[in-house]
């Protein structure tokens, strides 16, 4: 039987969020948080619009998911995010004790891997899913931005 | 001439915020952000009340200061915080490019020092100011909590 709710499906939803960020002139990063095959939070980067460095997609998604669940720990939840989380977001994910993180594109400069940010022992992380799509959107954004300046 | 607006003065203001957190049953951590001897943001930990792991004092203070300044970079600003920032908060401070961080108590387990979180090259950090007052408030909180459970 085909399971329509696989990692690909949810990462595509995160990519839709990244595209929404792109359309607003924001660095295109999107995220969704899922529990039992149900999306309980969707968010995209809004740092420019909100003038706030803390408004990364993941941060908003964590707040939103906790609000939905009525508790601050994201047990049995998976975060799908189109770019590897930074120190701040990985640090927030540490506190949330989220079960799983799936990201698309690597961030070799400011990602939590390069920065050696610690994840919670309960958290598993994998990367590279739909990496090409996520990276191309980011590249397209920075090329467009360079041409406008 | 006496300068009433020294580091001690502002850390005492951060301690007042920590006491406000204590009174709400929150882990007592407080923060203020200062520019040109003027407090532009005050905040205290609200993770329990908001059911949100991202609601640390520093995170709220960063958002609030950026809102006051109308820009997301906290140039020429100093954060006074009663506990050494964690990975998440240090990661947010990295993005904010804040000029200076002054903290009171060390967090040998989850502080950004122990966790080796990277600060922005523009940021200077010092610790230990009014450490005794900040630590005693934290100890009092955890003793009280233990006795209630």
């Amino acid at each position: 039987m085909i399971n329509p709710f696989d990692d690909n499906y949810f990462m595509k939803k995160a990519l839709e969020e990244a595209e929404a960020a792109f359309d607003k002139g924001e660095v295109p990063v999107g995220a969704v948080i899922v529990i039992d095959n149900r999306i309980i939070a969707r968010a995209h980067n809004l740092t420019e619009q909100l003038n706030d460095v803390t408004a990364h997609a993941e941060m908003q998604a964590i707040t939103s998911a906790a609000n939905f669940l009525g508790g601050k720990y994201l047990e049995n939840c998976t975060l799908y995010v189109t770019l590897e989380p930074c120190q701040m977001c990985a640090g927030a994910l540490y506190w949330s004790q989220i079960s799983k993180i799936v990201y698309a594109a690597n961030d070799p400069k400011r990602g939590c891997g390069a920065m050696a940010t610690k994840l919670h022992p309960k958290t598993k992380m994998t990367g590279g899913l739909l990496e090409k799509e996520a990276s191309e959107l980011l590249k397209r954004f920075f090329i467009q931005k360079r041409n406008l300046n």
Side-chain angles (χ1 to χ4, degrees), chain A:
Chain A
M1 210 177 84
I2 292 170
N3 176 9
F5 301 116
D6 59 3
D7 283 350
N8 258 287
Y9 173 83
F10 292 117
M11 189 59 86
K12 278 180 186 161
K13 294 294 176 190
L15 277 165
E16 284 175 21
E17 288 295 320
E19 278 157 20
F22 184 98
D23 293 342
K24 291 175 183 170
E26 299 279 354
V27 175
V29 180
V32 298
I33 292 178
V34 173
I35 189 167
D36 293 335
N37 284 336
R38 182 174 171 190
I39 294 175
I40 58 168
R42 298 168 196 263
H44 51 265
N45 180 34
L46 283 175
T47 50
E48 295 303 321
Q49 198 155 328
L50 298 180
N51 254 330
D52 186 350
V53 296
T54 75
H56 282 192
E58 301 95 309
M59 300 300 284
Q60 296 174 70
I62 291 166
T63 298
S64 182
N67 191 43
F68 177 86
L69 294 171
K72 59 187 177 146
Y73 298 116
L74 304 181
E75 286 174 274
N76 305 316
C77 290
T78 301
L79 169 77
Y80 296 86
V81 58
T82 61
L83 182 65
E84 184 187 350
C86 72
Q87 296 189 117
M88 169 180 70
C89 295
L93 290 160
Y94 175 97
W95 291 121
S96 80
Q97 303 186 15
I98 198 164
S99 298
K100 199 174 157 191
I101 302 168
V102 183
Y103 67 86
N106 287 308
D107 186 346
K109 209 172 156 192
R110 284 166 172 172
C112 56
M115 294 295 222
T117 314
K118 275 88 182 165
L119 294 176
H120 196 276
K122 287 183 187 169
T123 305
K124 286 177 188 165
M125 184 164 76
T126 58
L129 181 69
L130 303 184
E131 179 167 18
K132 200 181 149 202
E133 289 84 342
S135 295
E136 277 177 1
L137 188 64
L138 283 159
K139 272 181 211 151
R140 188 148 57 89
F141 175 81
F142 287 111
I143 288 168
Q144 194 189 65
K145 216 184 162 189
R146 210 176 305 137
N147 292 342
L148 286 173
N149 288 336

